[in-house]
Amino acid sequence: MSRIKLFNEKALELIKKEMVRWENEILKDKGGDEDYFTESGIPIKLLYTPVDISELDYLQDIGFSGDEPYVRGVYPNMYRGRLFTVRQLAGFGGPEDCNKRIKFLLDHGATGVNIVFDLPTIRGYNSSDPEAEGNVGQCGVAIDSLEDMEALFDGVPVDEISVSLVTHLPSVSVALLAMYVVMAEKRGIPLEKLAGTTQNDFLMETTIGSAPEILPPRHSFRFQCDVVEYAARNLPRWNSISYNGYNLREAGTNAVQEVAIAIANAIATAEELVRRGLPVDSFARRMSFFWDLCNDFFEEIAKCRASRRVFYKVMKERFKAQNPRSLLMRFHVQTAGITLTKVEPLNNIARSAIQALAAILGGAQSLHVDSFDEAYSAPTEEAALVSLRTQQILQTETNIVNTVDPLAGSYYVEYLTNEMEKRIFEYIEEIERRGGIVAVTESGWLHREISNYAYEQQKAIETGKKKIVGVNYMRSEQQEPEIEVFRYPETEQKQKAKLEALMKKRDNAKVKECLEVVREKLKTQENIMPYVIEAVKVNATLGEIEEVFRQEFGLWQFPLT
């Protein structure tokens, strides 16, 4: 298709000529001619004009909201038709403790919940395991069994709200999604009514590292694809995967790498699912993404817009998707935890609000705003409420949700969007030249990319090159006011007691039989989900299921040498 440029050549030539005059006569000797760069290293000019986007074809490159190439948003009327989901994190203590926080958030206007799990759960250990000691119920909720999953959502209308299970590792996603499915079935809720997301990203297990004992990348990737396949066949409203750019960014990537690595994983997933015989339109519409929005306001907005265009081109041109929903990139945003400071923690309210504003201007489908005290611990009820109210103020008091993509047409934002797209595609090509996302994980190349960026960022902070208010810039001499820090409820002994009681009352012979079936199926190429669901139904615990995975596949070490 031939391109129709938005600006005519005569106008562009006149602008170029006048800009030379402006630089020589008006700007001359005014200063400000140092080099500036975005967080991703894109040079920033003092002033942008139509010349910087002279090749722009409006209909091909930007278009309209809800239409190809979806740069302006995935829905035609965007927030007028559907406000972004106000989705706050909840996760601490035992399931009974966390259940109260879920209800508190819903009672105060949250329209979805993100459940985070404690480290033993994320690592696939029961609360009674020696590996879990000291971490049960810390930084997330402890879930050992189907009974715990039932307690977590007791009285919560899971058929009416959207629930995100922040499961991190695909192996844990298999077990916890199985528990969630069985919990819903026992309550008589049809699976087609379940709306939500599992994180289920193998890079969380093999690259970012929530646990020192991890499964080899190829087996973790297999579990990731098993969950996607199961959901495509059984859970029509469930986002089977949330490609986790967020934790990549927190670990050490820039905005370009964050998006490129996540989409490279989506490409590998699509190739595997097609190899298994699924049409691309049967699963692509339920792929979702998770972005981390930091403080570079315009670059983050451009990232959101560019990522939609990249995903659209990949699905349209590479995978020949036909269903328009397969071409839409839907994403959740969490404000950047890595930007929160322990020093002057109330400043974090401003940081998170600015990042949340960028998320909305970038067209996010759901949003979590970090709380000001999260550099210390899980948020207190007061801090969580401030985050919730921040979202509600943005939705109702600012008018920003009443027009679509209001920064479209900004010479700077359109230039950044184009530049981000180009650099994202280049990084995806680099990954594929090295064998694809699984291969660069196995080789350690991806780990080195992340560690190198993290090192450079930390060095920039310590040398003062990167300024952080209150930390290395404009430090206050006044004594900081004390803030209330959340204290975790005692959980470990309660979870151990529940596990002991469960193992006494269940049919242990049946549990053993189901786990042996899981073990045998791991040696085949069959999808493991149905067999794990059967094990969950007879009350096999998370730790028991995960131990079978560890025994059959062995453990893998990061190749950082």
Side-chain angles (χ1 to χ4, degrees):
M1 183 184 299
S2 61
R3 294 179 64 81
I4 303 173
K5 294 181 182 179
L6 190 58
F7 305 106
N8 68 56
E9 293 297 332
K10 186 176 179 180
L12 291 171
E13 286 302 316
L14 185 59
I15 292 168
K16 288 179 187 174
K17 181 180 176 182
E18 283 298 304
M19 190 157 187
V20 171
R21 180 196 62 78
W22 171 77
E23 287 173 340
N24 291 332
E25 297 179 6
I26 298 177
L27 179 63
K28 186 178 180 181
D29 299 329
K30 294 294 189 297
D33 52 357
E34 299 88 353
D35 293 331
Y36 292 84
F37 297 90
T38 68
E39 285 286 322
S40 293
I42 299 172
I44 302 175
K45 295 168 60 175
L46 175 66
L47 189 74
Y48 287 81
T49 72
V51 174
D52 295 292
I53 51 173
S54 60
E55 298 299 313
L56 194 70
D57 179 322
Y58 180 82
L59 292 178
Q60 285 195 46
D61 298 334
I62 302 176
F64 301 98
S65 50
D67 200 1
E68 300 177 7
Y70 302 101
V71 172
R72 305 202 65 179
V74 296
Y75 303 121
N77 55 355
M78 285 300 289
Y79 300 134
R80 286 194 184 193
R82 180 188 303 184
L83 286 169
F84 57 87
T85 304
V86 178
R87 186 190 295 282
Q88 290 299 115
L89 283 171
F92 60 84
E96 299 82 4
D97 303 308
C98 190
N99 176 269
K100 294 175 185 173
R101 176 62 67 89
I102 293 171
K103 290 176 177 174
F104 171 82
L105 292 171
L106 294 175
D107 288 345
H108 286 78
T111 51
V113 289
N114 277 17
I115 306 299
V116 292
F117 301 94
D118 68 1
L119 194 56
T121 304
I122 290 302
R123 293 172 61 194
Y125 289 102
N126 285 345
S127 298
S128 57
D129 195 291
E131 291 283 346
E133 187 174 352
N135 289 307
V136 178
Q138 309 285 308
C139 304
V141 60
I143 298 294
D144 294 315
S145 67
L146 172 61
E147 288 187 354
D148 284 342
M149 190 65 80
E150 292 177 300
L152 180 64
F153 290 104
D154 182 42
V156 177
V158 296
D159 53 342
E160 297 176 10
I161 65 166
S162 171
V163 174
S164 177
L165 302 175
V166 188
T167 46
H168 290 216
L169 319 186
S171 56
V172 176
S173 301
V174 167
L176 293 183
L177 180 60
M179 291 179 187
Y180 190 79
V181 164
V182 176
M183 176 273 295
E185 286 179 332
K186 288 182 69 175
R187 287 170 57 173
I189 299 172
L191 297 188
E192 55 268 24
K193 295 194 74 171
L194 295 180
T197 305
T198 34
Q199 197 163 80
N200 186 37
D201 184 332
F202 92 104
L203 293 175
M204 286 293 293
E205 180 159 19
T206 57
T207 304
I208 299 165
S210 300
E213 307 89 5
I214 52 182
L215 298 180
R218 290 191 182 278
H219 297 302
S220 185
F221 182 71
R222 174 228 174 135
F223 283 147
Q224 173 184 297
C225 294
D226 281 356
V227 171
V228 176
E229 181 183 12
Y230 172 82
R233 299 185 190 280
N234 299 280
L235 300 169
R237 298 181 64 205
W238 194 265
N239 300 317
S240 53
I241 187 165
S242 175
Y243 293 101
N244 191 345
Y246 184 92
N247 285 68
L248 286 165
R249 188 75 176 276
E250 297 277 305
T253 65
N254 62 36
V256 170
Q257 293 168 314
E258 172 192 359
V259 173
I261 295 167
I263 293 181
N265 190 2
I267 291 171
T269 309
E271 289 177 341
E272 171 61 16
L273 271 289
V274 169
R275 187 194 69 77
R276 294 185 184 192
L278 274 73
V280 67
D281 287 315
S282 70
F283 59 83
R285 62 191 177 84
R286 281 296 168 191
M287 288 178 164
S288 64
F289 293 79
F290 179 19
W291 299 146
D292 187 2
L293 263 58
C294 296
N295 287 334
D296 193 333
F297 188 71
F298 291 110
E299 179 171 83
E300 295 297 347
I301 294 167
K303 176 183 78 178
C304 295
R305 301 174 84 243
S307 65
R308 282 193 292 268
R309 191 155 67 202
V310 171
F311 186 72
Y312 157 76
K313 288 183 177 179
V314 167
M315 284 297 149
K316 178 96 172 179
E317 297 169 8
R318 182 166 179 165
F319 291 99
K320 313 299 181 189
Q322 299 296 313
N323 187 334
R325 289 180 61 84
S326 302
L327 308 174
L328 307 178
M329 170 184 276
R330 295 166 299 110
F331 57 82
H332 170 70
V333 166
Q334 181 174 339
T335 58
I338 198 170
T339 65
L340 302 179
T341 63
K342 292 182 75 172
V343 178
E344 299 183 25
L346 294 181
N347 295 345
N348 295 328
I349 297 174
R351 293 188 178 99
S352 295
I354 292 167
Q355 294 159 8
L357 176 61
I360 299 165
L361 295 176
Q365 277 58 69
S366 63
L367 178 61
H368 166 91
V369 173
D370 288 340
S371 296
F372 66 83
D373 57 354
E374 289 190 52
Y376 288 88
S377 181
T380 62
E381 199 167 271
E382 178 191 24
L385 187 57
V386 170
S387 293
L388 185 61
R389 294 306 192 213
T390 300
Q391 296 210 47
Q392 291 164 342
I393 289 168
L394 287 167
Q395 279 191 342
T396 60
E397 298 183 16
T398 63
N399 253 345
I400 61 171
V401 295
N402 293 335
T403 190
V404 172
D405 190 26
L407 292 180
S410 155
Y411 308 128
Y412 180 42
V413 170
E414 295 298 355
Y415 172 81
L416 275 182
T417 301
N418 291 344
E419 194 66 23
M420 292 290 290
E421 178 194 351
K422 178 170 76 77
R423 292 175 182 233
I424 290 166
F425 269 123
E426 288 173 350
Y427 202 76
I428 292 173
E429 290 169 3
E430 175 70 21
I431 291 170
E432 298 202 319
R433 272 197 300 274
R434 294 174 180 275
I437 195 68
V438 176
V440 298
T441 304
E442 291 176 325
S443 70
W445 179 83
L446 195 54
H447 304 77
R448 287 189 287 276
E449 288 282 284
I450 292 169
S451 59
N452 289 343
Y453 183 82
Y455 172 76
E456 292 299 327
Q457 286 294 294
Q458 187 59 34
K459 189 167 68 173
I461 293 170
E462 292 179 5
T463 59
K465 182 179 178 183
K466 183 181 177 72
K467 294 182 175 61
I468 301 176
V469 174
V471 175
N472 65 1
Y473 180 71
M474 296 291 181
R475 284 187 67 104
S476 173
E477 298 299 323
Q478 296 180 349
Q479 186 174 2
E480 292 186 36
E482 291 188 1
I483 65 167
E484 180 188 359
V485 177
F486 181 80
R487 303 296 177 193
Y488 292 103
E490 198 293 313
T491 306
E492 190 164 332
Q493 294 308 315
K494 292 180 182 175
Q495 288 298 110
K496 285 181 177 178
K498 286 197 295 183
L499 274 167
E500 187 176 350
L502 177 70
M503 291 181 182
K504 285 180 179 176
K505 71 181 181 184
R506 70 182 185 178
D507 185 339
N508 285 306
K510 190 67 179 173
V511 171
K512 185 178 179 180
E513 180 183 328
C514 287
L515 291 176
E516 284 306 309
V517 172
V518 170
R519 186 188 305 279
E520 290 305 310
K521 295 300 178 184
L522 290 177
K523 300 170 184 172
T524 73
Q525 293 190 351
E526 281 192 69
N527 191 311
I528 202 65
M529 277 294 299
Y531 305 102
V532 173
I533 288 173
E534 291 305 309
V536 164
K537 285 179 178 176
V538 297
N539 287 313
T541 66
L542 172 71
E544 290 170 331
I545 295 166
E546 296 289 324
E547 188 59 25
V548 175
F549 296 164
R550 287 188 281 265
Q551 289 172 357
E552 288 304 310
F553 292 145
L555 299 176
W556 184 72
Q557 297 292 321
F558 293 155
L560 286 179
T561 56

